[in-house]
């Protein structure tokens, strides 16, 4: 009888510890798009500025504005944690400085390009692993990703477009997000933005 009671007490304590840990982990919000150029980064930065105006401690852990003036203008007064500059085959690459963001310990970190593969000098191989580390540290994260980067969809995208998607995110990362916001544009608007050079030159 005592053994059963001890087992129940231990299970109850483990469950409570799990609840405590869940409360200590950060929350994840994902701006999800069907393709580049629909405005995910733009929307993430708008939200960051809105949170800052409400007194929330927000920093940019990493942002990739792709030289888009409208996106760059949304950085505004947001604090940027200086990136880690890594050398790879003679090229300088800017990566999120994960350790610096953790030391800074903001309430919210804005982290663009969830599916990105980090330079070899980074702590983790993939940016989604960086985001998981931030969440474990109790830092809330707002991030961006396109659907073709989902592990379960990349082959469907490849069949439909002929493009092989190399950077992929496990579905469970997206499944565990606390909030997912769909960002989309009508095809005509997207084509117009592409022709105007607003997505890629």
């Amino acid at each position: 009888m005592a053994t059963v009671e001890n087992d129940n007490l231990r299970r109850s304590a483990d469950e409570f510890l799990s609840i405590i840990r869940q409360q200590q982990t950060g929350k994840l919000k994902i701006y999800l798009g069907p393709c580049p150029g629909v405005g995910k980064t733009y929307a993430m930065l708008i939200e960051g500025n809105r949170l800052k105006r409400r007194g929330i401690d927000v920093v940019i852990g990493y942002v990739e504005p792709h030289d888009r003036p409208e996106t760059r203008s949304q950085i505004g007064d947001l604090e940027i944690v200086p990136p880690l500059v890594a050398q790879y085959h003679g090229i300088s690459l800017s990566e999120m400085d994960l350790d610096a963001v953790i030391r800074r310990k903001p309430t919210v970190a804005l982290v663009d390009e969830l599916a990105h593969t980090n330079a070899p000098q980074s702590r983790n191989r993939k940016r989604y692993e960086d985001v998981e580390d931030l969440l474990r540290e109790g830092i809330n994260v707002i991030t961006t990703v396109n659907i073709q980067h989902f592990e379960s969809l990349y082959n469907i995208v490849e069949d439909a477009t002929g493009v092989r998607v190399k950077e992929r995110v496990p579905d469970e990362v997206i499944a565990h997000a606390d909030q997912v916001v769909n960002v989309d544009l009508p095809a005509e608007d997207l084509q117009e933005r592409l022709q105007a050079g607003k997505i890629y030159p």
Side-chain angles (χ1 to χ4, degrees):
M1 185 73 166
T3 306
V4 172
E5 284 180 5
N6 287 341
D7 285 346
N8 287 340
L9 287 171
R10 187 174 62 249
R11 209 167 21 251
S12 175
D14 289 345
E15 287 169 3
F16 186 63
L17 183 58
S18 174
I19 291 168
I20 291 171
R21 284 188 177 137
Q22 285 173 11
Q23 290 177 340
Q24 290 173 342
T25 59
K27 303 299 180 194
L28 177 62
K29 180 172 187 174
I30 298 175
Y31 279 99
L32 172 67
C35 60
V38 294
K40 301 176 304 298
T41 303
Y42 187 87
M44 177 185 74
L45 291 170
I46 285 176
E47 178 165 0
N49 278 294
R50 189 178 300 128
L51 290 170
K52 183 178 178 179
R53 284 194 297 273
R54 294 179 66 183
I56 306 297
D57 182 21
V58 181
V59 303
I60 293 174
Y62 187 83
V63 68
E64 183 54 72
H66 294 289
D67 291 325
R68 297 172 189 152
E70 297 94 340
T71 302
R72 193 173 292 283
S73 71
Q74 289 306 315
I75 292 172
D77 296 328
L78 290 169
E79 178 186 341
I80 301 173
V81 175
L84 183 70
V85 180
Q87 296 297 319
Y88 184 65
H89 295 299
I91 301 169
S92 292
L93 302 172
S94 289
E95 299 287 359
M96 179 169 71
D97 190 337
L98 175 61
D99 293 324
V101 177
I102 289 171
R103 282 193 303 273
R104 172 61 180 73
K105 191 79 174 172
T107 303
V108 177
L110 308 179
V111 182
D112 212 3
E113 307 276 356
L114 183 66
H116 174 76
T117 300
N118 292 330
Q121 295 95 323
S122 301
R123 186 203 290 188
N124 296 311
R125 200 172 78 75
K126 303 291 286 186
R127 187 162 291 153
Y128 73 80
E129 295 170 324
D130 292 342
V131 165
E132 289 174 331
D133 285 350
L134 293 175
L135 296 171
R136 277 191 288 271
E137 292 289 333
I139 298 169
N140 302 294
V141 175
I142 303 174
T143 189
T144 65
V145 71
N146 288 325
I147 58 169
Q148 72 262 28
H149 296 291
F150 289 12
E151 188 69 49
S152 63
L153 295 178
Y154 82 92
N155 55 344
I156 296 169
V157 172
E158 186 177 343
D159 289 344
T161 65
V163 176
R164 189 158 188 262
V165 179
K166 294 178 184 174
E167 296 184 317
R168 303 198 288 265
V169 178
D171 287 22
E172 53 266 26
V173 174
I174 288 99
H176 289 137
D178 297 279
Q179 191 174 12
V180 177
V181 178
N182 186 39
V183 182
D184 203 355
L185 276 177
E188 296 78 13
D189 292 351
L190 195 57
Q191 288 170 340
E192 187 179 299
R193 295 194 71 209
L194 185 61
Q195 289 163 3
K198 292 182 177 180
I199 301 175
Y200 294 122

